[in-house]
Amino acid sequence: IMAANRRTFLKLTASAGLLAIAGSPAPARAAPALPPEAVGILYDATLCIGCKACMTRCKQVNSVPGAPLYQPDGSIPYEFRPGDQAHDAPSDLSARTLNIIKVYRQGAGVHKDQAEDGYSFVKRQCMHCLEPACASVCPVRALDKDRRTGVVTYDPERCIGCRYCMMACPFGVPKFEWSSTSPRIVKCELCRHRYASGGYAGCCEACPTGASLFGPVAELRREAERRLRLPPGTEYRFPVGRLGAGMFSTRKSGTYVQRIYGMEEAGGTQCLLLAGVDFDLLGFNPRIDNVPYPQFTWAYIKKVPVLIGLLLAAGTAIHRLTRERD
């Protein structure tokens, strides 16, 4: 009888534990709001010429092997010296590459910004989600979202190297310094160390055509919407570098896919993209949902204390039943 009772008790406890984990679906929430001074980047693939000046400038002001990501005063932390590696041709984001220009080609690949027999450039970097999954899973708050600018920041002093952020990010952005004896997580932080001195994202600063444009996210959204309304071939003054800086490049508009990537993906991001080729073809995961990813995370994590309590109660009961039988 005791064994039967114990089996029944364990079945009931296990069932209760599974119900506690599963629970009910998380209720839908309102779209995340922009931080008060949210800044970001608008990348327009139709303007990109694939020069990769953005990548070079990013490495100058940020990611350098063997040196800090940046100096506290915003200065360039590294200068090329004879004998150093002279050529760097990354194929993807890594601990040494915070942003990268890739290319899509199809068929003959001769028509820019066309899917058939065409090609398109595309930029990949941290999207700075309005509700970042990487920050939601970090157990020590090494990754956090700046309440004012919305930049998703990283604090190496807090990081314990668990790499949960790498698994959580739907865009596959955070990278780990596997070759370092003191490894960190590496990702774009929108050159936040340059703001105090009046600087801004190095990639946008170096872009000669305005394909990468820095500015307040609310204004970048309006700029993107204006471009989508332009009939193809319309002469337009495209801002260069930073919105409001008074620099422009006058050229004819291309044909856009009627979508601003980043407006809804993963609940919305502070980096937005425009292109003439469908974003699925440009390598973006079509399975990314239009809801904040922490919404999925917390639906289960919040039930962990309940599960722990049930397991403790089960362990205590099993101990008592076993002792009574002995």
Side-chain angles (χ1 to χ4, degrees):
I1 295 174
M2 183 66 71
N5 288 342
R6 188 157 58 241
R7 281 197 298 270
T8 303
F9 173 79
L10 290 173
K11 287 180 180 179
L12 290 173
T13 304
S15 300
L18 290 172
L19 287 172
I21 296 174
S24 56
R29 295 185 297 173
L34 281 174
E37 298 178 33
V39 292
I41 291 175
L42 170 62
Y43 172 76
D44 188 335
T46 69
L47 300 180
C48 184
I49 58 175
C51 67
K52 300 188 178 182
C54 55
M55 294 174 58
T56 302
R57 184 59 176 159
C58 177
K59 286 179 178 288
Q60 286 179 328
V61 300
N62 285 296
S63 59
V64 178
L69 270 174
Y70 52 80
Q71 299 288 357
D73 61 359
S75 61
I76 297 175
Y78 182 82
E79 294 180 2
F80 180 79
R81 298 178 178 85
D84 289 346
Q85 181 178 343
H87 182 68
D88 182 22
S91 59
D92 206 344
L93 297 176
S94 70
R96 296 186 176 194
T97 302
L98 277 67
N99 88 81
I100 189 167
I101 298 294
K102 295 187 173 186
V103 63
Y104 158 83
R105 285 190 180 91
Q106 195 277 335
V110 294
H111 304 296
K112 188 176 186 303
D113 302 312
Q114 292 186 21
E116 295 294 330
D117 287 327
Y119 69 96
S120 173
F121 297 109
V122 62
K123 186 183 185 189
R124 302 303 298 268
Q125 65 179 82
C126 178
M127 298 293 286
H128 296 276
C129 302
L130 296 182
E131 289 193 18
C134 60
S136 74
V137 301
C138 182
V140 292
R141 206 174 176 181
L143 284 154
D144 198 12
K145 188 169 180 68
D146 188 283
R147 295 180 182 274
R148 183 173 59 87
T149 65
V151 174
V152 180
T153 63
Y154 171 71
D155 184 353
E157 298 300 321
R158 286 176 171 265
C159 184
I160 58 175
C162 67
R163 303 189 296 278
Y164 288 160
C165 55
M166 295 174 63
M167 293 183 283
C169 177
F171 301 102
V173 169
K175 301 300 178 185
F176 191 67
E177 291 181 318
W178 296 101
S179 60
S180 173
T181 55
S182 301
R184 300 167 300 171
I185 292 293
V186 178
K187 61 175 285 299
C188 160
E189 296 184 62
L190 284 181
C191 293
R192 63 187 176 96
H193 59 288
R194 308 184 73 209
Y195 299 168
S197 59
Y200 57 100
C203 58
C204 299
E205 181 182 71
C207 182
T209 65
S212 290
L213 181 66
F214 183 85
V217 177
E219 294 181 25
L220 292 176
R221 288 177 174 179
R222 288 192 286 270
E223 175 66 21
E225 290 167 354
R226 279 194 293 270
R227 295 184 189 186
L228 290 187
R229 291 194 296 267
L230 291 173
T234 303
E235 194 169 89
Y236 186 74
R237 296 178 74 212
F238 291 93
V240 175
R242 175 170 55 182
L243 273 176
M247 298 181 290
F248 299 92
S249 172
T250 303
R251 56 189 297 172
K252 292 182 179 179
S253 64
T255 302
Y256 291 103
V257 171
Q258 293 297 304
R259 178 183 181 185
I260 304 173
Y261 194 92
M263 284 291 289
E264 296 180 339
E265 286 72 19
T269 68
Q270 293 182 207
C271 288
L272 310 172
L273 295 93
L274 296 175
V277 175
D278 191 89
F279 290 98
D280 294 353
L281 298 177
L282 296 181
F284 289 90
N285 186 354
R287 297 172 61 187
I288 293 177
D289 291 295
N290 292 346
V291 295
Y293 271 59
Q295 181 169 324
F296 298 115
T297 306
W298 286 107
Y300 294 91
I301 289 180
K302 68 182 182 181
K303 296 185 173 61
V304 169
V306 177
L307 176 60
I308 292 175
L310 287 170
L311 291 175
L312 288 173
T316 302
I318 290 170
H319 173 71
R320 292 188 62 180
L321 289 170
T322 304
R323 187 172 63 179
E324 288 175 8
R325 183 183 182 189
D326 292 342

mmCIF file of all heavy atoms in Angstrom, residues 38-60:
data_model
loop_
_atom_site.group_PDB
_atom_site.id
_atom_site.type_symbol
_atom_site.label_atom_id
_atom_site.label_comp_id
_atom_site.label_asym_id
_atom_site.label_seq_id
_atom_site.Cartn_x
_atom_site.Cartn_y
_atom_site.Cartn_z
ATOM 1 N N ALA A 38 15.660 57.875 -28.076
ATOM 2 C CA ALA A 38 16.111 56.690 -28.817
ATOM 3 C C ALA A 38 16.840 57.079 -30.093
ATOM 4 O O ALA A 38 16.360 57.877 -30.894
ATOM 5 C CB ALA A 38 14.910 55.809 -29.154
ATOM 6 N N VAL A 39 18.028 56.507 -30.268
ATOM 7 C CA VAL A 39 18.804 56.722 -31.483
ATOM 8 C C VAL A 39 18.993 55.383 -32.186
ATOM 9 O O VAL A 39 18.912 54.320 -31.572
ATOM 10 C CB VAL A 39 20.177 57.351 -31.183
ATOM 11 C CG1 VAL A 39 20.021 58.783 -30.688
ATOM 12 C CG2 VAL A 39 20.958 56.516 -30.178
ATOM 13 N N GLY A 40 19.232 55.451 -33.471
ATOM 14 C CA GLY A 40 19.408 54.218 -34.229
ATOM 15 C C GLY A 40 19.979 54.504 -35.599
ATOM 16 O O GLY A 40 20.516 55.586 -35.870
ATOM 17 N N ILE A 41 19.850 53.521 -36.474
ATOM 18 C CA ILE A 41 20.402 53.603 -37.827
ATOM 19 C C ILE A 41 19.337 53.179 -38.830
ATOM 20 O O ILE A 41 18.609 52.211 -38.613
ATOM 21 C CB ILE A 41 21.640 52.698 -37.968
ATOM 22 C CG1 ILE A 41 22.812 53.258 -37.147
ATOM 23 C CG2 ILE A 41 22.064 52.550 -39.434
ATOM 24 C CD1 ILE A 41 24.037 52.358 -37.132
ATOM 25 N N LEU A 42 19.263 53.913 -39.937
ATOM 26 C CA LEU A 42 18.462 53.512 -41.088
ATOM 27 C C LEU A 42 19.433 53.098 -42.181
ATOM 28 O O LEU A 42 20.235 53.915 -42.648
ATOM 29 C CB LEU A 42 17.577 54.663 -41.575
ATOM 30 C CG LEU A 42 16.860 54.439 -42.922
ATOM 31 C CD1 LEU A 42 15.908 53.254 -42.842
ATOM 32 C CD2 LEU A 42 16.122 55.703 -43.367
ATOM 33 N N TYR A 43 19.371 51.827 -42.576
ATOM 34 C CA TYR A 43 20.216 51.340 -43.665
ATOM 35 C C TYR A 43 19.357 51.173 -44.901
ATOM 36 O O TYR A 43 18.342 50.478 -44.885
ATOM 37 C CB TYR A 43 20.867 50.002 -43.290
ATOM 38 C CG TYR A 43 21.598 49.354 -44.447
ATOM 39 C CD1 TYR A 43 22.837 49.828 -44.867
ATOM 40 C CD2 TYR A 43 21.021 48.296 -45.144
ATOM 41 C CE1 TYR A 43 23.493 49.258 -45.944
ATOM 42 C CE2 TYR A 43 21.673 47.714 -46.225
ATOM 43 C CZ TYR A 43 22.907 48.195 -46.623
ATOM 44 O OH TYR A 43 23.554 47.628 -47.689
ATOM 45 N N ASP A 44 19.776 51.807 -45.992
ATOM 46 C CA ASP A 44 19.057 51.760 -47.258
ATOM 47 C C ASP A 44 19.929 51.015 -48.261
ATOM 48 O O ASP A 44 20.918 51.557 -48.774
ATOM 49 C CB ASP A 44 18.763 53.180 -47.747
ATOM 50 C CG ASP A 44 17.839 53.211 -48.956
ATOM 51 O OD1 ASP A 44 17.800 52.215 -49.697
ATOM 52 O OD2 ASP A 44 17.164 54.242 -49.160
ATOM 53 N N ALA A 45 19.561 49.760 -48.547
ATOM 54 C CA ALA A 45 20.373 48.931 -49.439
ATOM 55 C C ALA A 45 20.440 49.489 -50.854
ATOM 56 O O ALA A 45 21.401 49.229 -51.575
ATOM 57 C CB ALA A 45 19.816 47.505 -49.462
ATOM 58 N N THR A 46 19.425 50.274 -51.269
ATOM 59 C CA THR A 46 19.444 50.813 -52.626
ATOM 60 C C THR A 46 20.512 51.888 -52.786
ATOM 61 O O THR A 46 20.910 52.209 -53.911
ATOM 62 C CB THR A 46 18.073 51.392 -53.020
ATOM 63 O OG1 THR A 46 17.812 52.578 -52.267
ATOM 64 C CG2 THR A 46 16.961 50.371 -52.781
ATOM 65 N N LEU A 47 20.971 52.455 -51.689
ATOM 66 C CA LEU A 47 22.028 53.473 -51.738
ATOM 67 C C LEU A 47 23.409 52.885 -51.530
ATOM 68 O O LEU A 47 24.419 53.545 -51.807
ATOM 69 C CB LEU A 47 21.784 54.543 -50.662
ATOM 70 C CG LEU A 47 20.476 55.326 -50.735
ATOM 71 C CD1 LEU A 47 20.406 56.331 -49.586
ATOM 72 C CD2 LEU A 47 20.346 56.052 -52.072
ATOM 73 N N CYS A 48 23.472 51.652 -51.024
ATOM 74 C CA CYS A 48 24.755 51.046 -50.671
ATOM 75 C C CYS A 48 25.528 50.661 -51.939
ATOM 76 O O CYS A 48 24.973 50.041 -52.856
ATOM 77 C CB CYS A 48 24.522 49.821 -49.796
ATOM 78 S SG CYS A 48 26.050 49.060 -49.190
ATOM 79 N N ILE A 49 26.820 50.999 -51.982
ATOM 80 C CA ILE A 49 27.672 50.659 -53.128
ATOM 81 C C ILE A 49 28.677 49.556 -52.770
ATOM 82 O O ILE A 49 29.541 49.217 -53.569
ATOM 83 C CB ILE A 49 28.422 51.899 -53.657
ATOM 84 C CG1 ILE A 49 29.276 52.529 -52.545
ATOM 85 C CG2 ILE A 49 27.433 52.916 -54.225
ATOM 86 C CD1 ILE A 49 30.132 53.688 -53.004
ATOM 87 N N GLY A 50 28.565 49.019 -51.548
ATOM 88 C CA GLY A 50 29.425 47.911 -51.158
ATOM 89 C C GLY A 50 30.878 48.273 -50.941
ATOM 90 O O GLY A 50 31.762 47.409 -51.018
ATOM 91 N N CYS A 51 31.164 49.538 -50.631
ATOM 92 C CA CYS A 51 32.555 49.963 -50.447
ATOM 93 C C CYS A 51 33.164 49.462 -49.137
ATOM 94 O O CYS A 51 34.387 49.398 -48.986
ATOM 95 C CB CYS A 51 32.663 51.482 -50.521
ATOM 96 S SG CYS A 51 31.849 52.350 -49.143
ATOM 97 N N LYS A 52 32.316 49.140 -48.155
ATOM 98 C CA LYS A 52 32.706 48.620 -46.844
ATOM 99 C C LYS A 52 33.502 49.626 -46.009
ATOM 100 O O LYS A 52 34.204 49.253 -45.072
ATOM 101 C CB LYS A 52 33.483 47.316 -46.983
ATOM 102 C CG LYS A 52 32.675 46.218 -47.667
ATOM 103 C CD LYS A 52 33.369 44.881 -47.630
ATOM 104 C CE LYS A 52 32.500 43.810 -48.291
ATOM 105 N NZ LYS A 52 33.129 42.468 -48.239
ATOM 106 N N ALA A 53 33.357 50.911 -46.347
ATOM 107 C CA ALA A 53 33.984 51.937 -45.515
ATOM 108 C C ALA A 53 33.418 51.904 -44.100
ATOM 109 O O ALA A 53 34.118 52.211 -43.130
ATOM 110 C CB ALA A 53 33.770 53.316 -46.135
ATOM 111 N N CYS A 54 32.143 51.498 -43.978
ATOM 112 C CA CYS A 54 31.512 51.409 -42.658
ATOM 113 C C CYS A 54 32.211 50.362 -41.800
ATOM 114 O O CYS A 54 32.388 50.547 -40.587
ATOM 115 C CB CYS A 54 30.034 51.067 -42.808
ATOM 116 S SG CYS A 54 29.700 49.569 -43.752
ATOM 117 N N MET A 55 32.615 49.257 -42.398
ATOM 118 C CA MET A 55 33.294 48.203 -41.663
ATOM 119 C C MET A 55 34.674 48.659 -41.193
ATOM 120 O O MET A 55 35.081 48.405 -40.059
ATOM 121 C CB MET A 55 33.415 46.949 -42.535
ATOM 122 C CG MET A 55 32.088 46.294 -42.868
ATOM 123 S SD MET A 55 32.262 44.906 -44.032
ATOM 124 C CE MET A 55 33.405 43.849 -43.129
ATOM 125 N N THR A 56 35.391 49.347 -42.069
ATOM 126 C CA THR A 56 36.732 49.836 -41.714
ATOM 127 C C THR A 56 36.669 50.837 -40.577
ATOM 128 O O THR A 56 37.428 50.754 -39.601
ATOM 129 C CB THR A 56 37.398 50.481 -42.943
ATOM 130 O OG1 THR A 56 37.479 49.522 -43.995
ATOM 131 C CG2 THR A 56 38.791 50.978 -42.604
ATOM 132 N N ARG A 57 35.734 51.782 -40.689
ATOM 133 C CA ARG A 57 35.610 52.807 -39.644
ATOM 134 C C ARG A 57 35.164 52.188 -38.325
ATOM 135 O O ARG A 57 35.639 52.580 -37.249
ATOM 136 C CB ARG A 57 34.624 53.876 -40.092
ATOM 137 C CG ARG A 57 34.488 55.055 -39.125
ATOM 138 C CD ARG A 57 35.808 55.748 -38.920
ATOM 139 N NE ARG A 57 35.679 56.923 -38.078
ATOM 140 C CZ ARG A 57 36.678 57.485 -37.413
ATOM 141 N NH1 ARG A 57 37.910 56.962 -37.502
ATOM 142 N NH2 ARG A 57 36.489 58.555 -36.680
ATOM 143 N N CYS A 58 34.272 51.213 -38.393
ATOM 144 C CA CYS A 58 33.814 50.530 -37.184
ATOM 145 C C CYS A 58 34.991 49.884 -36.461
ATOM 146 O O CYS A 58 35.114 49.964 -35.237
ATOM 147 C CB CYS A 58 32.774 49.483 -37.549
ATOM 148 S SG CYS A 58 32.187 48.512 -36.152
ATOM 149 N N LYS A 59 35.881 49.239 -37.216
ATOM 150 C CA LYS A 59 37.040 48.597 -36.594
ATOM 151 C C LYS A 59 37.987 49.637 -35.999
ATOM 152 O O LYS A 59 38.613 49.405 -34.967
ATOM 153 C CB LYS A 59 37.757 47.722 -37.615
ATOM 154 C CG LYS A 59 37.017 46.427 -37.927
ATOM 155 C CD LYS A 59 37.748 45.605 -38.966
ATOM 156 C CE LYS A 59 37.017 44.301 -39.222
ATOM 157 N NZ LYS A 59 37.143 43.370 -38.083
ATOM 158 N N GLN A 60 38.078 50.793 -36.632
ATOM 159 C CA GLN A 60 38.955 51.840 -36.113
ATOM 160 C C GLN A 60 38.480 52.363 -34.761
ATOM 161 O O GLN A 60 39.276 52.605 -33.865
ATOM 162 C CB GLN A 60 39.034 53.003 -37.110
ATOM 163 C CG GLN A 60 39.878 52.709 -38.335
ATOM 164 C CD GLN A 60 39.910 53.881 -39.285
ATOM 165 O OE1 GLN A 60 38.934 54.639 -39.401
ATOM 166 N NE2 GLN A 60 41.016 54.054 -39.973
#
